[in-house]
């Protein structure tokens, strides 16, 4: 049945038989297969480009490491502008900046909360949320407004957005 040609324009083609529906499913699957092949090739190319980008980063780092070390040592011998987080010196071709070391805290949030509950409960923050699953059962949309059915109150704090349905071929 695939040898039979059906028009591919949506306006003039009506599916009114199982044969036409089967043909349409085949066309959708062919288009999806072409898309999947394209995406597979694109992902491979992206992977290759990312590898090339990493190579260039390493190459740049190797080419500039010695110069950056020399510039860092040189900053100790000239008058620089000292800020709270860095030393800097501006020259015609650019600016040389030495960032001061900083501390970064890496936290295990669940362990930290447990510790705070036991040792500093005043530092524990409790986040309030609604029980959405239960509240949702009590809502009704009428004329675009969300209404709490038990009270009849319009809830301006909630908007309802209708997502259009769609047909899929799998």
């Amino acid at each position: 049945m695939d040898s039979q040609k059906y028009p591919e324009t949506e306006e003039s083609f009506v599916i009114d038989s199982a044969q036409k529906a089967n043909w349409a499913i085949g066309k959708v699957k062919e288009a999806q297969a072409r898309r999947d092949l394209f995406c597979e090739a694109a992902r491979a190319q992206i992977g290759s480009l990312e590898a090339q980008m990493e190579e260039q980063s390493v190459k740049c780092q190797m080419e500039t490491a010695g110069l950056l070390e020399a510039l860092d040592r040189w900053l100790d011998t000239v008058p620089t502008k000292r800020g709270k987080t860095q030393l800097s010196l501006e020259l015609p071709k650019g600016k040389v900046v030495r960032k001061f070391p900083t501390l970064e805290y890496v936290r295990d949030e669940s362990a930290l909360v447990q510790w705070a509950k036991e040792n500093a409960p005043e530092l524990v923050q409790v986040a309030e949320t609604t029980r959405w699953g239960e509240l949702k059962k009590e809502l009704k949309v009428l004329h675009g407004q969300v209404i709490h059915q038990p009270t009849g109150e319009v809830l301006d704090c909630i908007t309802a957005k209708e997502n259009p349905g769609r047909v899929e071929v799998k």
Side-chain angles (χ1 to χ4, degrees):
M1 304 280 164
D2 282 341
S3 63
Q4 196 166 6
K5 294 285 185 186
Y6 291 106
E8 294 189 34
T9 58
E10 294 173 18
E11 298 86 30
S12 63
F13 184 60
V14 175
I15 296 177
D16 54 8
S17 69
Q19 181 182 4
K20 287 181 179 179
N22 193 47
W23 173 85
I25 290 170
K27 287 296 188 182
V28 169
K29 285 187 172 185
E30 286 174 12
Q32 290 172 338
R34 285 191 303 273
R35 175 207 58 205
D36 293 346
L37 287 171
F38 178 88
C39 290
E40 181 182 332
R43 277 191 282 278
Q45 192 170 5
I46 289 169
S48 172
L49 290 171
E50 286 175 341
Q52 291 175 32
M53 288 169 47
E54 180 61 28
E55 287 174 19
Q56 287 299 313
S57 292
V58 169
K59 182 179 175 184
C60 177
Q61 188 175 15
M62 291 175 67
E63 288 177 7
T64 61
L67 293 173
L68 290 171
E69 286 178 29
L71 285 167
D72 185 40
R73 286 190 304 271
W74 180 71
L75 279 177
D76 292 330
T77 66
V78 296
T80 57
K81 180 178 177 185
R82 184 178 189 89
K84 193 172 184 177
T85 61
Q86 65 186 26
L87 284 179
S88 65
L89 179 66
E90 193 162 347
L91 297 170
K93 287 202 174 187
K95 193 177 201 179
V96 181
V97 178
R98 177 191 294 156
K99 298 275 187 180
F100 298 141
T102 60
L103 278 178
E104 179 181 349
Y105 295 98
V106 180
R107 302 171 299 194
D108 176 345
E109 194 63 28
S110 61
L112 183 57
V113 168
Q114 187 58 43
W115 175 88
K117 281 180 180 179
E118 296 168 7
N119 299 287
E122 71 281 3
L123 299 177
V124 176
Q125 182 176 323
V126 179
E128 292 185 47
T129 63
T130 58
R131 292 193 304 264
W132 177 246
E134 293 175 35
L135 177 60
K136 187 176 172 183
K137 294 174 187 174
E138 298 180 355
L139 302 178
K140 180 179 181 179
V141 178
L142 186 63
H143 305 298
Q145 293 183 309
V146 179
I147 297 172
H148 184 234
Q149 291 185 78
T151 63
E153 183 180 357
V154 174
L155 299 179
D156 293 328
C157 55
I158 302 173
T159 56
K161 176 185 159 199
E162 185 173 344
N163 294 319
R166 65 177 189 264
V167 175
E168 295 180 346
V169 170
K170 296 184 177 186

